[in-house]
Short mmCIF file of all heavy atoms in Angstrom, two decimals:
data_model
loop_
_atom_site.label_atom_id
_atom_site.label_comp_id
_atom_site.label_asym_id
_atom_site.label_seq_id
_atom_site.Cartn_x
_atom_site.Cartn_y
_atom_site.Cartn_z
N MET A 112 13.84 -13.17 0.80
CA MET A 112 13.00 -12.02 1.12
C MET A 112 11.60 -12.57 1.55
O MET A 112 11.16 -13.47 1.00
CB MET A 112 12.68 -11.17 -0.12
CG MET A 112 13.91 -10.35 -0.61
SD MET A 112 14.07 -8.89 0.29
CE MET A 112 15.88 -8.76 0.39
N ALA A 113 11.10 -11.89 2.60
CA ALA A 113 9.77 -12.30 3.10
C ALA A 113 8.64 -11.65 2.20
O ALA A 113 8.86 -10.59 1.55
CB ALA A 113 9.60 -11.87 4.54
N LYS A 114 7.56 -12.37 2.15
CA LYS A 114 6.44 -11.81 1.39
C LYS A 114 5.61 -10.98 2.44
O LYS A 114 5.55 -11.11 3.55
CB LYS A 114 5.53 -12.92 0.94
CG LYS A 114 6.13 -13.72 -0.22
CD LYS A 114 5.39 -13.33 -1.43
CE LYS A 114 5.84 -14.20 -2.60
NZ LYS A 114 5.23 -13.73 -3.83
N VAL A 115 5.02 -9.84 1.82
CA VAL A 115 4.20 -9.03 2.67
C VAL A 115 2.84 -8.88 1.93
O VAL A 115 2.76 -8.67 0.75
CB VAL A 115 4.87 -7.60 2.71
CG1 VAL A 115 4.04 -6.61 3.45
CG2 VAL A 115 6.27 -7.65 3.34
N ARG A 116 1.76 -9.03 2.76
CA ARG A 116 0.34 -8.85 2.22
C ARG A 116 -0.01 -7.39 2.55
O ARG A 116 -0.09 -6.98 3.75
CB ARG A 116 -0.53 -9.83 2.76
CG ARG A 116 -1.96 -9.73 2.23
CD ARG A 116 -2.88 -10.80 2.72
NE ARG A 116 -2.40 -12.10 2.31
CZ ARG A 116 -2.32 -13.22 3.04
NH1 ARG A 116 -2.77 -13.22 4.31
NH2 ARG A 116 -1.87 -14.41 2.50
N VAL A 117 -0.42 -6.65 1.63
CA VAL A 117 -0.82 -5.21 1.76
C VAL A 117 -2.24 -5.05 1.34
O VAL A 117 -2.64 -5.44 0.18
CB VAL A 117 0.11 -4.35 0.94
CG1 VAL A 117 -0.24 -2.90 1.17
CG2 VAL A 117 1.57 -4.55 1.12
N THR A 118 -3.08 -4.49 2.13
CA THR A 118 -4.54 -4.31 1.90
C THR A 118 -4.73 -2.85 2.05
O THR A 118 -4.38 -2.19 3.03
CB THR A 118 -5.44 -5.05 2.86
OG1 THR A 118 -5.07 -6.40 2.82
CG2 THR A 118 -6.89 -4.92 2.54
N GLN A 119 -5.42 -2.24 1.03
CA GLN A 119 -5.75 -0.72 1.17
C GLN A 119 -7.08 -0.65 2.05
O GLN A 119 -8.08 -1.37 1.73
CB GLN A 119 -6.06 -0.14 -0.16
CG GLN A 119 -6.35 1.33 -0.15
CD GLN A 119 -6.51 1.85 -1.51
OE1 GLN A 119 -6.16 1.32 -2.55
NE2 GLN A 119 -7.04 3.17 -1.54
N ILE A 120 -7.05 0.13 3.02
CA ILE A 120 -8.10 0.31 3.96
C ILE A 120 -8.77 1.73 3.91
O ILE A 120 -9.78 1.86 4.51
CB ILE A 120 -7.71 -0.07 5.46
CG1 ILE A 120 -6.68 0.75 5.89
CG2 ILE A 120 -7.41 -1.51 5.50
CD1 ILE A 120 -6.33 0.56 7.44
N ARG A 121 -8.04 2.64 3.31
CA ARG A 121 -8.61 3.99 3.31
C ARG A 121 -8.56 4.55 1.81
O ARG A 121 -7.67 4.13 1.09
CB ARG A 121 -7.74 4.95 4.24
CG ARG A 121 -7.82 4.46 5.68
CD ARG A 121 -7.80 5.42 6.80
NE ARG A 121 -8.61 6.66 6.56
CZ ARG A 121 -8.25 7.82 7.09
NH1 ARG A 121 -7.20 7.88 7.84
NH2 ARG A 121 -9.00 8.91 6.95
N SER A 122 -9.36 5.53 1.56
CA SER A 122 -9.43 6.13 0.27
C SER A 122 -8.31 7.06 -0.09
O SER A 122 -7.66 7.62 0.92
CB SER A 122 -10.72 6.84 0.07
OG SER A 122 -10.83 7.57 -1.08
N THR A 123 -8.00 7.23 -1.33
CA THR A 123 -7.00 8.28 -1.62
C THR A 123 -7.52 9.59 -2.00
O THR A 123 -6.81 10.45 -2.54
CB THR A 123 -6.05 7.58 -2.98
OG1 THR A 123 -6.99 7.41 -3.95
CG2 THR A 123 -5.44 6.44 -2.51
N ILE A 124 -8.84 9.67 -1.84
CA ILE A 124 -9.48 11.02 -2.18
C ILE A 124 -8.94 12.11 -1.23
O ILE A 124 -8.67 11.88 -0.04
CB ILE A 124 -10.96 10.94 -2.03
CG1 ILE A 124 -11.58 9.96 -3.05
CG2 ILE A 124 -11.63 12.27 -2.14
CD1 ILE A 124 -13.02 9.69 -2.82
N LYS A 125 -8.58 13.22 -1.77
CA LYS A 125 -7.95 14.38 -1.04
C LYS A 125 -6.64 14.02 -0.49
O LYS A 125 -6.24 14.55 0.53
CB LYS A 125 -8.96 14.89 0.09
CG LYS A 125 -10.20 15.53 -0.43
CD LYS A 125 -10.97 16.17 0.75
CE LYS A 125 -12.22 16.84 0.23
NZ LYS A 125 -12.99 17.52 1.32
N ARG A 126 -5.87 13.20 -1.14
CA ARG A 126 -4.49 12.88 -0.71
C ARG A 126 -3.56 13.45 -1.77
O ARG A 126 -3.91 13.62 -3.01
CB ARG A 126 -4.22 11.35 -0.70
CG ARG A 126 -5.15 10.58 0.20
CD ARG A 126 -4.71 10.92 1.71
NE ARG A 126 -5.67 10.36 2.64
CZ ARG A 126 -5.70 10.52 3.87
NH1 ARG A 126 -4.82 11.44 4.44
NH2 ARG A 126 -6.65 10.06 4.59
N PRO A 127 -2.33 13.79 -1.45
CA PRO A 127 -1.38 14.28 -2.40
C PRO A 127 -1.11 13.35 -3.51
O PRO A 127 -1.29 12.13 -3.44
CB PRO A 127 -0.08 14.46 -1.62
CG PRO A 127 -0.57 14.59 -0.20
CD PRO A 127 -1.74 13.69 -0.15
N LYS A 128 -0.68 13.92 -4.73
CA LYS A 128 -0.46 13.11 -5.91
C LYS A 128 0.57 12.11 -5.69
O LYS A 128 0.39 10.88 -6.20
CB LYS A 128 -0.03 14.00 -7.13
CG LYS A 128 -1.13 14.85 -7.66
CD LYS A 128 -0.60 15.63 -8.83
CE LYS A 128 -1.63 16.50 -9.35
NZ LYS A 128 -1.30 17.26 -10.54
N ASP A 129 1.61 12.26 -4.87
CA ASP A 129 2.61 11.31 -4.68
C ASP A 129 2.14 10.04 -3.92
O ASP A 129 2.50 8.95 -4.19
CB ASP A 129 3.87 11.93 -3.97
CG ASP A 129 3.59 12.43 -2.61
OD1 ASP A 129 2.42 12.78 -2.38
OD2 ASP A 129 4.49 12.62 -1.81
N GLN A 130 1.17 10.24 -3.01
CA GLN A 130 0.58 9.16 -2.29
C GLN A 130 -0.35 8.36 -3.21
O GLN A 130 -0.37 7.08 -3.16
CB GLN A 130 -0.21 9.69 -1.06
CG GLN A 130 0.76 10.19 0.04
CD GLN A 130 -0.08 10.78 1.27
OE1 GLN A 130 -1.25 10.52 1.44
NE2 GLN A 130 0.66 11.39 2.13
N LYS A 131 -1.10 9.07 -4.07
CA LYS A 131 -1.91 8.33 -5.01
C LYS A 131 -1.06 7.48 -5.97
O LYS A 131 -1.38 6.33 -6.28
CB LYS A 131 -2.78 9.35 -5.90
CG LYS A 131 -3.81 9.95 -5.03
CD LYS A 131 -4.63 10.98 -5.89
CE LYS A 131 -5.69 11.75 -5.03
NZ LYS A 131 -6.53 12.59 -5.86
N ALA A 132 -0.04 8.12 -6.42
CA ALA A 132 1.04 7.29 -7.24
C ALA A 132 1.57 6.11 -6.59
O ALA A 132 1.75 5.05 -7.17
CB ALA A 132 2.06 8.34 -7.75
N THR A 133 1.84 6.23 -5.27
CA THR A 133 2.53 5.15 -4.55
C THR A 133 1.46 3.97 -4.44
O THR A 133 1.79 2.87 -4.60
CB THR A 133 2.91 5.61 -3.19
OG1 THR A 133 3.86 6.71 -3.40
CG2 THR A 133 3.58 4.48 -2.34
N ILE A 134 0.16 4.37 -4.14
CA ILE A 134 -0.80 3.30 -3.99
C ILE A 134 -0.96 2.54 -5.34
O ILE A 134 -1.00 1.32 -5.37
CB ILE A 134 -2.18 3.96 -3.61
CG1 ILE A 134 -2.14 4.35 -2.17
CG2 ILE A 134 -3.34 3.08 -3.85
CD1 ILE A 134 -2.16 3.32 -1.09
N THR A 135 -0.90 3.34 -6.53
CA THR A 135 -1.12 2.71 -7.75
C THR A 135 0.17 1.82 -8.02
O THR A 135 -0.14 0.76 -8.61
CB THR A 135 -1.23 3.76 -8.85
OG1 THR A 135 -2.32 4.64 -8.62
CG2 THR A 135 -1.35 3.24 -10.28
N ALA A 136 1.32 2.31 -7.69
CA ALA A 136 2.57 1.51 -8.00
C ALA A 136 2.54 0.16 -7.08
O ALA A 136 3.14 -0.76 -7.55
CB ALA A 136 3.76 2.32 -7.59
N LEU A 137 1.88 0.21 -6.03
CA LEU A 137 1.90 -1.05 -5.24
C LEU A 137 0.79 -2.02 -5.75
O LEU A 137 0.70 -3.09 -5.20
CB LEU A 137 1.39 -0.68 -3.74
CG LEU A 137 2.57 -0.03 -2.89
CD1 LEU A 137 1.97 0.46 -1.52
CD2 LEU A 137 3.67 -0.93 -2.60
N GLY A 138 0.00 -1.56 -6.70
CA GLY A 138 -1.00 -2.41 -7.32
C GLY A 138 -2.33 -2.29 -6.62
O GLY A 138 -3.11 -3.31 -6.74
N LEU A 139 -2.59 -1.33 -5.85
CA LEU A 139 -3.82 -1.05 -5.15
C LEU A 139 -4.60 -0.08 -5.96
O LEU A 139 -4.27 0.20 -6.99
CB LEU A 139 -3.56 -0.70 -3.73
CG LEU A 139 -2.67 -1.66 -2.86
CD1 LEU A 139 -2.32 -1.10 -1.57
CD2 LEU A 139 -3.48 -3.01 -2.70
N GLY A 140 -5.67 0.43 -5.27
CA GLY A 140 -6.47 1.48 -5.99
C GLY A 140 -7.86 1.49 -5.57
O GLY A 140 -8.55 2.50 -5.74
N LYS A 141 -8.34 0.42 -4.91
CA LYS A 141 -9.62 0.36 -4.34
C LYS A 141 -9.55 -0.14 -3.00
O LYS A 141 -8.73 -0.97 -2.67
CB LYS A 141 -10.52 -0.62 -5.26
CG LYS A 141 -10.83 -0.03 -6.60
CD LYS A 141 -11.76 -0.98 -7.33
CE LYS A 141 -12.05 -0.47 -8.78
NZ LYS A 141 -13.13 -1.21 -9.44
N ILE A 142 -10.53 0.29 -2.21
CA ILE A 142 -10.49 -0.11 -0.77
C ILE A 142 -10.72 -1.66 -0.66
O ILE A 142 -11.59 -2.28 -1.51
CB ILE A 142 -11.64 0.66 -0.02
CG1 ILE A 142 -11.16 2.21 0.06
CG2 ILE A 142 -11.80 0.11 1.45
CD1 ILE A 142 -12.26 3.09 0.62
N ASN A 143 -10.05 -2.30 0.19
CA ASN A 143 -10.19 -3.76 0.37
C ASN A 143 -9.46 -4.56 -0.70
O ASN A 143 -9.59 -5.85 -0.72
CB ASN A 143 -11.57 -4.25 0.59
CG ASN A 143 -12.14 -3.75 1.87
OD1 ASN A 143 -11.40 -3.72 2.85
ND2 ASN A 143 -13.45 -3.51 1.92
N ARG A 144 -8.66 -3.93 -1.52
CA ARG A 144 -7.98 -4.70 -2.56
C ARG A 144 -6.61 -5.14 -1.88
O ARG A 144 -6.05 -4.28 -1.14
CB ARG A 144 -7.62 -3.86 -3.75
CG ARG A 144 -6.83 -4.64 -4.84
CD ARG A 144 -6.75 -3.91 -6.13
NE ARG A 144 -8.09 -3.86 -6.80
CZ ARG A 144 -8.38 -3.22 -7.79
NH1 ARG A 144 -7.43 -2.38 -8.44
NH2 ARG A 144 -9.49 -3.25 -8.45
N THR A 145 -6.20 -6.34 -2.13
CA THR A 145 -5.01 -6.96 -1.35
C THR A 145 -4.02 -7.41 -2.47
O THR A 145 -4.48 -8.01 -3.40
CB THR A 145 -5.55 -8.14 -0.46
OG1 THR A 145 -6.42 -7.68 0.47
CG2 THR A 145 -4.40 -8.74 0.24
N VAL A 146 -2.85 -7.24 -2.23
CA VAL A 146 -1.81 -7.78 -2.97
C VAL A 146 -0.63 -8.32 -2.08
O VAL A 146 -0.55 -7.89 -1.00
CB VAL A 146 -1.12 -6.66 -3.95
CG1 VAL A 146 -2.05 -6.16 -4.99
CG2 VAL A 146 -0.60 -5.47 -3.12
N GLU A 147 0.02 -9.36 -2.70
CA GLU A 147 1.19 -9.88 -2.04
C GLU A 147 2.43 -9.51 -2.78
O GLU A 147 2.59 -9.63 -3.96
CB GLU A 147 1.10 -11.39 -1.96
CG GLU A 147 0.17 -11.97 -0.91
CD GLU A 147 0.28 -13.48 -0.71
OE1 GLU A 147 1.30 -13.99 -1.12
OE2 GLU A 147 -0.68 -13.96 -0.15
N LEU A 148 3.36 -8.88 -1.99
CA LEU A 148 4.69 -8.30 -2.62
C LEU A 148 5.80 -8.87 -1.80
O LEU A 148 5.76 -9.24 -0.69
CB LEU A 148 4.52 -6.77 -2.52
CG LEU A 148 3.36 -6.12 -3.16
CD1 LEU A 148 3.45 -4.63 -2.62
CD2 LEU A 148 3.52 -6.15 -4.66
N GLU A 149 6.98 -8.89 -2.55
CA GLU A 149 8.21 -9.21 -1.84
C GLU A 149 8.67 -8.06 -0.88
O GLU A 149 8.36 -6.93 -1.26
CB GLU A 149 9.28 -9.35 -2.93
CG GLU A 149 9.27 -10.60 -3.78
CD GLU A 149 9.37 -11.89 -3.07
OE1 GLU A 149 10.23 -11.86 -2.02
OE2 GLU A 149 8.84 -12.90 -3.38
N GLY A 150 9.30 -8.44 0.17
CA GLY A 150 9.68 -7.37 1.16
C GLY A 150 10.95 -6.77 0.88
O GLY A 150 11.90 -6.72 1.78
N THR A 151 11.15 -6.16 -0.35
CA THR A 151 12.41 -5.48 -0.60
C THR A 151 12.39 -4.14 0.07
O THR A 151 11.33 -3.60 0.41
CB THR A 151 12.51 -5.30 -2.17
OG1 THR A 151 11.48 -4.45 -2.63
CG2 THR A 151 12.48 -6.64 -2.89
N PRO A 152 13.55 -3.52 0.19
CA PRO A 152 13.67 -2.22 0.84
C PRO A 152 12.83 -1.12 0.05
O PRO A 152 12.27 -0.28 0.66
CB PRO A 152 15.17 -1.87 0.84
CG PRO A 152 15.80 -3.16 0.71
CD PRO A 152 14.94 -4.03 -0.03
N GLN A 153 12.76 -1.24 -1.15
CA GLN A 153 11.95 -0.27 -2.05
C GLN A 153 10.48 -0.39 -1.74
O GLN A 153 9.81 0.55 -1.51
CB GLN A 153 12.18 -0.47 -3.53
CG GLN A 153 13.67 -0.12 -4.00
CD GLN A 153 14.61 -1.36 -3.78
OE1 GLN A 153 14.24 -2.46 -3.35
NE2 GLN A 153 15.89 -1.25 -4.08
N ILE A 154 10.05 -1.65 -1.63
CA ILE A 154 8.57 -1.89 -1.42
C ILE A 154 8.24 -1.50 0.02
O ILE A 154 7.19 -0.81 0.22
CB ILE A 154 8.19 -3.30 -1.64
CG1 ILE A 154 8.40 -3.72 -3.13
CG2 ILE A 154 6.91 -3.64 -1.19
CD1 ILE A 154 7.47 -3.07 -4.11
N LEU A 155 9.06 -1.81 0.97
CA LEU A 155 8.90 -1.47 2.37
C LEU A 155 8.83 0.05 2.57
O LEU A 155 8.08 0.62 3.30
CB LEU A 155 9.87 -2.06 3.26
CG LEU A 155 9.85 -3.60 3.29
CD1 LEU A 155 10.94 -4.15 4.23
CD2 LEU A 155 8.48 -4.12 3.74
N GLY A 156 9.73 0.78 1.81
CA GLY A 156 9.67 2.28 1.79
C GLY A 156 8.44 2.88 1.36
O GLY A 156 7.79 3.75 1.85
N MET A 157 7.89 2.20 0.24
CA MET A 157 6.48 2.72 -0.38
C MET A 157 5.49 2.34 0.65
O MET A 157 4.56 3.26 0.80
CB MET A 157 6.38 1.97 -1.70
CG MET A 157 7.29 2.32 -2.82
SD MET A 157 7.21 1.34 -4.14
CE MET A 157 5.64 1.69 -4.82
N ILE A 158 5.52 1.21 1.28
CA ILE A 158 4.44 0.94 2.27
C ILE A 158 4.51 1.96 3.41
O ILE A 158 3.51 2.35 3.89
CB ILE A 158 4.59 -0.47 2.70
CG1 ILE A 158 4.19 -1.51 1.57
CG2 ILE A 158 3.74 -0.84 3.94
CD1 ILE A 158 4.56 -2.90 1.79
N ASN A 159 5.74 2.26 3.77
CA ASN A 159 5.91 3.20 5.00
C ASN A 159 5.33 4.59 4.60
O ASN A 159 4.70 5.22 5.49
CB ASN A 159 7.37 3.30 5.35
CG ASN A 159 7.58 4.14 6.64
OD1 ASN A 159 6.80 3.96 7.56
ND2 ASN A 159 8.63 4.94 6.48
N LYS A 160 5.48 4.90 3.35
CA LYS A 160 4.97 6.25 2.93
C LYS A 160 3.45 6.46 2.93
O LYS A 160 3.00 7.47 3.25
CB LYS A 160 5.47 6.44 1.48
CG LYS A 160 5.15 7.93 1.00
CD LYS A 160 5.81 8.09 -0.38
CE LYS A 160 5.65 9.52 -0.79
NZ LYS A 160 6.43 9.87 -2.08
N VAL A 161 2.81 5.33 2.71
CA VAL A 161 1.29 5.33 2.76
C VAL A 161 0.71 4.42 3.83
O VAL A 161 -0.25 3.84 3.68
CB VAL A 161 0.70 4.86 1.36
CG1 VAL A 161 1.05 5.92 0.34
CG2 VAL A 161 1.26 3.61 0.84
N SER A 162 1.44 4.29 4.93
CA SER A 162 1.09 3.34 5.96
C SER A 162 -0.30 3.79 6.64
O SER A 162 -0.90 2.84 7.08
CB SER A 162 2.16 3.36 7.07
OG SER A 162 2.35 4.63 7.68
N HIS A 163 -0.61 5.05 6.57
CA HIS A 163 -1.99 5.40 7.14
C HIS A 163 -3.13 5.02 6.20
O HIS A 163 -4.25 5.14 6.66
CB HIS A 163 -1.94 6.95 7.26
CG HIS A 163 -1.62 7.80 6.10
ND1 HIS A 163 -0.37 7.71 5.56
CD2 HIS A 163 -2.46 8.51 5.27
CE1 HIS A 163 -0.40 8.57 4.47
NE2 HIS A 163 -1.63 8.94 4.32
N LEU A 164 -2.89 4.52 4.97
CA LEU A 164 -3.80 4.16 4.08
C LEU A 164 -3.96 2.64 3.88
O LEU A 164 -4.89 2.12 3.30
CB LEU A 164 -3.63 4.76 2.64
CG LEU A 164 -3.50 6.29 2.54
CD1 LEU A 164 -3.04 6.73 1.13
CD2 LEU A 164 -4.82 6.95 3.07
N VAL A 165 -2.99 1.90 4.33
CA VAL A 165 -2.89 0.44 4.16
C VAL A 165 -2.75 -0.31 5.38
O VAL A 165 -2.32 0.19 6.43
CB VAL A 165 -1.76 0.04 3.10
CG1 VAL A 165 -2.00 0.71 1.77
CG2 VAL A 165 -0.41 0.43 3.72
N LYS A 166 -3.02 -1.56 5.26
CA LYS A 166 -2.83 -2.56 6.42
C LYS A 166 -1.82 -3.58 5.84
O LYS A 166 -2.04 -4.11 4.77
CB LYS A 166 -4.16 -3.30 6.77
CG LYS A 166 -3.96 -4.30 7.93
CD LYS A 166 -5.37 -4.80 8.34
CE LYS A 166 -5.71 -5.81 7.19
NZ LYS A 166 -6.88 -6.65 7.55
N THR A 167 -0.82 -3.93 6.64
CA THR A 167 0.23 -4.83 6.21
C THR A 167 0.26 -5.97 7.21
O THR A 167 0.07 -5.97 8.40
CB THR A 167 1.61 -4.25 6.10
OG1 THR A 167 1.98 -3.77 7.43
CG2 THR A 167 1.61 -3.04 5.13
N GLU A 168 0.61 -7.23 6.61
CA GLU A 168 0.90 -8.36 7.40
C GLU A 168 1.92 -9.27 6.69
O GLU A 168 1.97 -9.25 5.46
CB GLU A 168 -0.40 -9.15 7.72
CG GLU A 168 -1.21 -9.48 6.54
CD GLU A 168 -2.54 -9.98 6.90
OE1 GLU A 168 -3.40 -9.22 7.51
OE2 GLU A 168 -2.86 -11.18 6.48
N GLU A 169 2.74 -9.90 7.44
CA GLU A 169 3.68 -10.82 6.72
C GLU A 169 3.13 -12.14 6.48
O GLU A 169 2.18 -12.69 7.21
CB GLU A 169 4.89 -11.01 7.78
CG GLU A 169 5.72 -9.75 7.83
CD GLU A 169 7.05 -10.06 8.62
OE1 GLU A 169 7.54 -11.27 8.54
OE2 GLU A 169 7.63 -9.23 9.22
N VAL A 170 3.47 -12.75 5.33
CA VAL A 170 2.99 -13.98 4.88
C VAL A 170 3.93 -15.07 5.25
O VAL A 170 5.04 -15.02 5.05
CB VAL A 170 2.57 -13.92 3.34
CG1 VAL A 170 2.04 -15.27 2.98
CG2 VAL A 170 1.68 -12.81 3.10
#
């Protein structure tokens, strides 16, 4: 599995609860916070769900 670096670039204020929960589950929560995750199908689906709030790049 490839590693994926995910950075939150937009706020979760005025977003639905499920998007807020997804950001928290990814280990984010503050703007400019970055995490490296395995590129599993579950993680990629979560990233796709909040793609307008995060920036991704392969490591």
Side-chain angles (χ1 to χ4, degrees):
M112 293 276 145
K114 288 256 188 186
V115 179
R116 183 177 294 141
V117 184
T118 305
Q119 184 176 348
I120 57 169
R121 301 212 40 207
S122 173
T123 57
I124 294 174
K125 293 189 177 182
R126 300 291 174 188
K128 287 183 182 180
D129 60 336
Q130 290 180 11
K131 290 180 182 183
T133 302
I134 289 288
T135 303
L137 287 171
L139 302 170
K141 293 186 177 184
I142 295 176
N143 291 325
R144 184 170 286 173
T145 301
V146 293
E147 284 189 17
L148 304 166
E149 290 291 329
T151 63
Q153 294 84 3
I154 296 294
L155 295 177
M157 292 167 71
I158 292 170
N159 188 40
K160 185 173 187 173
V161 292
S162 61
H163 56 288
L164 302 175
V165 298
K166 177 180 73 170
T167 60
E168 52 192 61
E169 290 191 26
V170 179

